[in-house]
Amino acid sequence: MTETIQRKINDSAFARWTALVLIASTMFFGYMFVDVLSPLKNLLETSRGWNSTVFGLYGGSEFILNVCGFLIVAGIILDKMGVRFTGLLSASLMVAGAAVKTYGISEYFCQGGFGFEFFSSFLTDIPASAKLACLGFMIFGCGTEMAGITVSKAIVKWFTGKEMALAMGLEMAIARLGVFAVFSLSPWVAELGSPSVVRPVAVVGVLLCIGLLTFLVFTVMDRKLDRQTGAAAAAGEPEEQFKVSDLRRLFTSGTFLTVAALCVLYYSAIFPFQRFATDMLQSNLGITAKQASDIFRWFPIGAMVLTPLLGSYLDHRGKGATMLLLGAILMTACHLIFALVPLTPLIAYSAIILLGISFSLVPAALWPSVPKLIENRLLGSAYAVIFWIQNIGLMAFPIIIGWSLNVSNPGVAEQIKEGVEGAAYNYTVPMLIFSCLGIAAFLLGLWLKAQDRSKGYGLELPNIKK
Ligand SMILES: C[C@H](N)C(=O)N[C@@H](CCCCN)C(=O)O
């Protein structure tokens, strides 16, 4: 009997790497938008009256709807509807949220435009511009986190048995390039002409539409893959139907929850730090926002270069649990340096490089480890549950850090607003909080490694079996 083995589209290296570039582009523009205001904390303070607490609240707002349950729903949608529908929905949500946020900080709205009166009528300590920007950022956050889990599942779909960790590493590297780009461009675009926070947000908002288009092109390729695997014919994408009751399995798996806890501790000391890093460097070194941003932008570049290399290492050699541990140690060292050592530009660059290495080790090892713990039909929900737990930290820590900055620096916000020369925040307390998160992540990493050794999950094993 002769058996014909049909070559699928993802068997072609060119096709699967093209698919990766298309979905990674959506994330590239998404990550740009996430941090478009991060280098502009000072300008927001002087032009829109956002103090550190308000800025922290704005940073946390991206995750509020996700934490309220949207991400769990997103995971279910992903497992039930597949990557194409979920990806397009999430990219559209990003564009819609970006539009609301742009309007919220616009001159038109701030000078009494449509909705201004309503947004000024409650929580009067918070500027109306911040409240509407937070609403937009919440909607955008639903889109970007939903896109994050969708892209992870799409990569597993296209790269299983192939270069999966390398592909995830490359996707994250492209996203980091977006962070580099926005830390380079945002202060520059803001200063073109009269200083404006709206201009960079509007520019990156337009770029998000390109991200929506690249995902649209990916759906054409993905449809072809489904036709070839026959998965589409079997009523929906998943080979085995996903049941909502399966979610219990995730919440009762000790190792899965340990990975999720490690994820929330680690990322809570990365992304919220990223929001405040420019201002921290500006305050500690007595430099401008543009100069501080120019130092900090090398952080994502370090991560960008190393993440795919470490992903490839994981594919061929393994050592995922060890990489998680090492990453937590380096991150703690970096935050302790910022907390305790008098800063010079050289020390700042060195600490940023340490953090960049750490931010390659952990993501390169963490995300490709999930398919080792959870079967494919639950994968969308598994990523969603991890993101959900992580989002609780990403929502809480910018708020905690903004608040701790305000209370540990009485009167400084007022001085900055009044333009007092030399007024700057002391970041010791926030940086010690970030360091504690790193220590806790390290301890959990030790526990995970011990669990892996005793239960044999294979976290230390390579992805590609010879
Ligand atoms: C913030 C987001 N929830 C996140 O965790 N992002 C990760 C990447 C997750 C995998 C995306 N396909 C990151 O390291 O940026």
Side-chain angles (χ1 to χ4, degrees):
M1 201 173 93
T2 47
E3 203 176 90
T4 347
I5 300 172
Q6 200 201 349
R7 210 175 125 79
K8 298 194 297 305
I9 182 169
N10 65 335
D11 290 326
S12 146
F14 178 76
R16 68 176 177 271
W17 290 110
T18 304
L20 183 88
V21 169
L22 289 170
I23 53 181
S25 302
T26 313
M27 297 315 291
F28 172 86
F29 296 120
Y31 272 59
M32 279 188 85
F33 195 83
V34 166
D35 272 305
V36 65
L37 284 180
S38 300
L40 305 178
K41 178 176 180 290
N42 207 268
L43 188 56
L44 282 164
E45 199 149 7
T46 48
S47 68
R48 293 288 182 271
W50 295 19
N51 64 22
S52 295
T53 308
V54 172
F55 187 73
L57 189 71
Y58 150 79
S61 68
E62 182 188 352
F63 305 101
I64 290 176
L65 291 177
N66 287 324
V67 170
C68 290
F70 180 81
L71 250 174
I72 302 293
V73 176
I76 296 171
I77 295 176
L78 176 57
D79 279 329
K80 285 208 168 279
M81 305 297 292
V83 295
R84 294 191 294 276
F85 174 84
T86 318
L88 287 178
L89 176 63
S90 53
S92 309
L93 280 173
M94 283 199 249
V95 172
V100 175
K101 177 164 145 182
T102 311
Y103 178 64
I105 58 168
S106 69
E107 298 296 335
Y108 174 78
F109 176 75
C110 294
Q111 285 166 7
F114 175 74
F116 182 79
E117 210 173 302
F118 171 71
F119 278 93
S120 304
S121 64
F122 57 94
L123 299 172
T124 46
D125 281 353
I126 305 172
S129 61
K131 279 175 262 181
L132 188 53
C134 285
L135 178 66
F137 211 21
M138 276 182 220
I139 299 169
F140 169 83
C142 290
T144 185
E145 292 299 285
M146 195 183 203
I149 59 171
T150 306
V151 163
S152 296
K153 189 164 178 176
I155 293 175
V156 176
K157 181 175 176 182
W158 278 70
F159 285 87
T160 293
K162 301 185 168 73
E163 315 86 340
M164 189 173 72
L166 172 62
M168 286 196 181
L170 269 173
E171 181 264 310
M172 285 184 269
I174 293 172
R176 308 289 180 249
L177 188 63
V179 180
F180 172 80
V182 88
F183 271 88
S184 310
L185 289 176
S186 185
W188 180 75
V189 176
E191 299 292 334
L192 283 176
S194 61
S196 158
V197 287
V198 190
R199 208 178 298 121
V201 176
V203 169
V204 183
V206 170
L207 295 179
L208 277 177
C209 301
I210 302 178
L212 173 60
L213 289 179
T214 61
F215 200 91
L216 196 64
V217 178
F218 165 76
T219 60
V220 177
M221 297 178 73
D222 190 66
R223 196 180 298 279
K224 183 162 183 190
L225 177 62
D226 270 357
R227 268 201 304 269
Q228 290 170 340
T229 55
E237 238 170 47
E239 301 89 7
E240 247 182 279
Q241 273 299 307
F242 163 84
K243 293 191 286 315
V244 176
S245 58
D246 288 334
L247 281 179
R248 204 175 325 119
R249 295 253 301 282
L250 300 176
F251 283 101
T252 50
S253 158
T255 313
F256 174 76
L257 289 178
T258 309
V259 170
L262 202 152
C263 175
V264 61
L265 289 170
Y266 182 82
Y267 274 95
S268 296
I270 291 285
F271 286 129
F273 170 67
Q274 198 160 289
R275 293 270 150 76
F276 287 89
T278 306
D279 192 57
M280 184 273 293
L281 291 171
Q282 200 179 338
S283 305
N284 281 1
L285 292 169
I287 53 180
T288 64
K290 169 92 179 58
Q291 289 165 326
S293 202
D294 281 349
I295 297 179
F296 187 71
R297 66 190 175 145
W298 296 104
F299 158 63
I301 284 296
M304 183 191 104
V305 173
L306 287 177
T307 312
L309 298 179
L310 290 169
S312 178
Y313 184 86
L314 191 77
D315 277 335
H316 295 97
R317 300 279 173 86
K319 299 273 171 247
T322 310
M323 282 161 67
L324 293 175
L325 264 181
L326 254 175
I329 295 173
L330 292 182
M331 180 183 74
T332 311
C334 164
H335 287 331
L336 282 176
I337 291 174
F338 283 132
L340 304 174
V341 178
L343 221 53
T344 63
L346 182 67
I347 296 177
Y349 272 116
S350 312
I352 291 293
I353 289 169
L354 276 190
L355 194 64
I357 300 172
S358 159
F359 197 37
S360 323
L361 284 161
V362 173
L366 191 126
W367 304 109
S369 297
V370 180
K372 290 181 175 168
L373 304 173
I374 300 296
E375 73 236 57
N376 189 51
R377 75 198 170 89
L378 281 179
L379 207 53
S381 301
Y383 278 121
V385 169
I386 296 193
F387 267 37
W388 179 66
I389 295 172
Q390 178 211 48
N391 273 208
I392 297 173
L394 298 186
M395 180 187 77
F397 276 93
I399 299 173
I400 293 170
I401 297 299
W403 168 82
S404 72
L405 195 58
N406 245 6
V407 295
S408 60
N409 288 272
V412 175
E414 290 73 15
Q415 290 173 16
I416 291 178
K417 207 165 170 204
E418 284 158 18
V420 175
E421 200 163 324
Y425 289 108
N426 178 329
Y427 266 85
T428 307
V429 173
M431 294 316 300
L432 284 176
I433 296 176
F434 285 135
S435 311
C436 292
L437 288 170
I439 294 168
F442 168 70
L443 295 176
L444 261 186
L446 281 179
W447 167 254
L448 185 68
K449 201 167 165 185
Q451 287 281 302
D452 181 53
R453 198 173 305 144
S454 65
K455 298 202 172 133
Y457 291 113
L459 295 182
E460 290 284 87
L461 298 179
N463 288 327
I464 297 179
K465 309 242 168 1
K466 296 226 165 70

